[in-house]
């Protein structure tokens, strides 16, 4: 199809973006063909009259786990046992893929046109990625990691991650993951809030440095970048010293860590969304212990400190939701953008740039998507109001276009209880 988007305001996704009117954005098939004056000859195009709405690049979510909806549970489950059951036969595996695929579609319907998965069940992520690419499923572009690599007793071990017991095993698991042609490799280097055994010590180092180096060396040899779950200063240091490319979450850095970021050319992916409920919710709501809330606050403040320090030192900072954690849904990337503005002190325009073109640059796909620019994929969203004035404008998108496929009035099923609690922190 050939479309001409007219009578709207264009926000192009660039660092210095300003609202632009009087333009027509022309889409031919999967690509943005041109951005021209609205007075240009538009014959041959289906006219999409935006009626004064705002057209911008689709959002990019850099940290997603597809197997979970984010719905809070009243009691703790056993993820290892659950994954073992759900991967025990072909029928169950097909159901898992279908559920994950539906969550990917929810991301798209909420205005996210690219997701980066960082830990999933077996090879579901790459299967769904390929189904979307081939037109067999509707969803966003997926940069997939499939299973991660952890260690016994480590984060997500035996559920969304293999557990390596030696550097050689860490290397071999990377090779095993590579067989399904993922886009990135994910490591679980530290524990997290729920793994912590001691108050004040979340993110305890779990993966020995030699394991990290072995996994990174194997991944880099095969042409993959490495993302790592890290929630303590020691973990960040070990990750960067041994080859990790992106620090997922982060912790308060010192001067040495900042220098390591620069030497490695590494980046941080902030994920304020999952830490916020632990740190800021009333425990009557979150149903967590006093120790878990304390540790959640340490992680929350550490992510913020890491983001601020990276920004001050010219280190790339991307945004992701860590969807799948309690209260973190597949339709709430707009909240992460808002939190970045609110807690890290960036402007609305910088937050929107970070969620679009900057995320694309960090993911290595800025030649493909991330801005409203001729030659790029037609990954676009439309909002009623201007997010540069209020980022909550991103909450309900009026149109989504992914690779040139137009969806008008996209709908997502929301969780009222989750909405009510999270809205207290907008």
């Amino acid at each position: 199809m050939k479309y001409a988007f007219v009578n709207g305001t264009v926000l192009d996704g660039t660092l210095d973006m300003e609202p632009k009117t009087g333009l027509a954005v022309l889409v031919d098939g999967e690509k943005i063909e041109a951005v021209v004056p609205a007075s240009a000859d538009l014959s041959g195009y289906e006219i999409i009259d935006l009626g004064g709405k705002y057209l911008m690049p689709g959002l990019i979510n850099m940290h997603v786990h597809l197997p979970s909806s984010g719905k809070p549970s009243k009691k703790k489950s056993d993820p290892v046992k659950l994954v073992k059951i759900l991967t025990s036969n072909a029928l169950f595996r097909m159901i898992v893929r279908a559920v994950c695929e539906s969550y990917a579609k929810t991301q798209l319907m909420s205005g996210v046109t690219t997701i980066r998965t960082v830990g999933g069940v077996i090879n579901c992520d790459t299967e769904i990625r390929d189904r979307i690419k081939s037109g067999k499923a509707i969803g966003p572009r997926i940069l997939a990691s499939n299973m991660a690599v952890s260690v016994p007793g480590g984060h997500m071990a035996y559920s969304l991650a293999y557990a390596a017991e030696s550097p050689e095993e860490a290397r071999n698991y990377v090779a095993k993951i590579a067989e399904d042609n993922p886009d990135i490799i994910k490591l679980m280097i530290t524990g997290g809030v729920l793994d912590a055994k001691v108050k004040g010590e979340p993110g305890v180092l779990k993966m020995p440095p030699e394991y990290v180096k072995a996994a990174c060396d194997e991944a880099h040899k095969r042409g993959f970048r490495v993302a790592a779950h890290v929630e303590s200063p020691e973990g960040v240091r070990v990750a960067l010293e041994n080859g990790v490319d992106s620090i997922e979450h982060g912790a308060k850095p010192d001067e040495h860590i900042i220098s390591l970021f620069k030497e490695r050319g590494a980046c941080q992916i902030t994920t304020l969304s999952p830490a916020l409920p632990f740190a800021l919710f009333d425990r009557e709501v979150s149903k967590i212990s006093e120790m878990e809330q304390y540790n959640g606050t340490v992680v929350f403040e550490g992510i913020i400190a890491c983001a601020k320090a990276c920004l001050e030192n010219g280190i790339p900072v991307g945004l992701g939701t860590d969807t799948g954690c309690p209260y973190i849904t597949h339709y709430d990337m707009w909240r992460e953008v808002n939190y970045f503005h609110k807690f890290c002190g960036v402007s609305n325009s910088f937050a929107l740039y970070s969620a679009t073109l900057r995320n694309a640059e960090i993911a290595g796909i800025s030649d493909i998507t991330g801005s409203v620019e001729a030659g790029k994929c037609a990954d676009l969203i439309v909002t009623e109001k201007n997010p540069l004035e209020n980022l909550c404008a991103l909450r309900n998108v009026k149109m989504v276009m992914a690779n040139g496929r137009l969806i008008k009035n996209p709908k997502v099923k929301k969780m009222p209880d989750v909405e009510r609690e999270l809205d207290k922190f907008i």
Side-chain angles (χ1 to χ4, degrees):
M1 294 291 293
K2 299 180 71 172
Y3 298 101
F5 291 90
V6 301
N7 192 24
T9 301
V10 176
L11 306 176
D12 63 14
T14 59
L15 176 59
D16 300 317
M17 77 180 94
E18 295 181 355
K20 296 178 182 178
T21 58
L23 298 174
V25 177
L26 308 183
V27 173
D28 187 355
E30 298 181 353
K31 301 284 187 179
I32 298 172
E33 183 182 14
V35 180
V36 299
S39 58
D41 181 8
L42 303 180
S43 57
Y45 294 87
E46 179 179 337
I47 304 298
I48 306 295
D49 188 339
L50 297 177
K53 297 180 181 67
Y54 292 80
L55 178 74
M56 67 203 79
L59 303 180
I60 298 173
N61 190 340
M62 292 287 280
H63 195 112
V64 174
H65 300 281
L66 285 176
S68 178
S69 67
K71 182 178 181 179
S73 176
K74 295 181 180 179
K75 59 180 181 180
K76 293 183 180 180
S77 61
D78 183 345
V80 175
K81 182 178 179 181
L82 183 59
V83 169
K84 187 175 182 180
I85 292 171
L86 292 176
T87 57
S88 62
N89 62 60
L91 175 60
F92 284 179
R93 290 193 294 272
M94 185 175 68
I95 292 171
V96 170
R97 189 188 72 186
V99 170
C100 291
E101 196 170 281
S102 73
Y103 292 153
K105 185 176 179 180
T106 297
Q107 291 270 349
L108 177 64
M109 295 300 164
S110 71
V112 176
T113 53
T114 299
I115 65 174
R116 177 173 170 264
T117 66
V118 281
V121 175
I122 52 176
N123 64 341
C124 280
D125 293 353
T126 50
E127 284 189 351
I128 296 167
R129 176 200 65 189
D130 295 344
R131 282 172 52 79
I132 292 170
K133 277 184 179 180
S134 66
K136 295 177 181 178
I138 298 173
R141 174 184 296 98
I142 295 180
L143 304 176
S145 70
N146 287 339
M147 295 278 284
V149 180
S150 187
V151 295
H155 197 59
M156 296 294 183
Y158 306 110
S159 59
L160 303 187
Y162 298 113
E165 298 188 40
S166 68
E168 187 62 27
E169 274 201 357
R171 186 179 294 110
N172 290 341
Y173 278 131
V174 170
K176 179 180 176 67
I177 295 164
E179 292 173 3
D180 290 306
N181 191 30
D183 299 286
I184 55 172
I185 297 295
K186 174 72 180 295
L187 306 182
M188 304 291 190
I189 291 178
T190 74
V193 173
L194 295 179
D195 301 322
K197 305 299 182 185
V198 179
K199 184 176 179 179
E201 292 186 6
V204 171
L205 183 66
K206 298 285 187 177
M207 184 176 285
E210 59 270 26
Y211 290 36
V212 179
K213 186 177 189 307
C216 288
D217 286 350
E218 184 66 23
H220 292 153
K221 183 180 75 173
R222 294 172 177 269
F224 298 114
R225 290 175 64 83
V226 180
H229 167 99
V230 185
E231 292 187 345
S232 67
E234 182 186 18
V236 175
R237 178 184 58 77
V238 167
L240 295 174
E241 285 178 342
N242 290 281
V244 165
D245 300 292
S246 70
I247 298 297
E248 311 290 313
H249 317 305
K252 186 175 181 179
D254 57 20
E255 290 184 8
H256 178 57
I257 287 174
I258 291 298
S259 69
L260 287 172
F261 266 111
K262 293 179 178 179
E263 289 169 17
R264 284 281 311 127
C267 66
Q268 181 212 7
I269 305 300
T270 61
T271 55
L272 295 169
S273 294
L276 185 145
F278 283 100
L280 303 184
F281 275 22
D282 188 303
R283 287 196 291 116
E284 288 295 316
V285 175
S286 61
K287 308 298 182 186
I288 60 174
S289 68
E290 190 272 337
M291 184 186 83
E292 288 169 338
Q293 184 174 58
Y294 185 93
N295 287 338
T297 302
V298 171
V299 170
F300 185 59
E301 293 177 350
I303 294 171
I304 293 170
C306 192
K308 286 182 174 180
C310 285
L311 290 172
E312 289 171 2
N313 286 276
I315 296 162
V317 176
L319 306 182
T321 58
D322 204 1
T323 297
C325 291
Y327 289 96
I328 314 308
T329 75
H330 286 285
Y331 54 79
D332 270 348
M333 178 61 185
W334 73 272
R335 291 188 191 274
E336 185 67 29
V337 183
N338 188 69
Y339 297 154
F340 191 48
H341 158 69
K342 181 176 182 177
F343 295 106
C344 296
V346 304
S347 67
N348 286 356
S349 61
F350 189 86
L352 184 59
Y353 155 72
S354 298
T356 54
L357 184 57
R358 190 51 158 164
N359 270 357
E361 290 168 347
I362 291 170
I365 55 172
S366 60
D367 59 329
I368 297 171
T369 191
S371 60
V372 181
E373 185 179 349
K376 291 196 176 181
C377 281
D379 297 337
L380 306 168
I381 60 173
V382 174
T383 63
E384 187 79 40
K385 296 181 179 180
N386 183 2
L388 299 188
E389 295 178 354
N390 188 338
L391 290 165
C392 292
L394 299 169
R395 183 172 195 159
N396 296 297
V397 297
K398 301 302 179 182
M399 294 183 195
V400 176
M401 174 173 276
N403 279 317
R405 182 174 191 152
L406 180 63
I407 302 168
K408 297 180 181 180
N409 299 310
K411 304 294 183 185
V412 297
K413 185 177 180 180
K414 298 187 177 182
M415 305 175 200
D417 292 350
V418 170
E419 295 280 284
R420 182 180 64 252
E421 295 302 329
L422 291 177
D423 280 354
K424 297 174 183 178
F425 301 96
I426 293 175

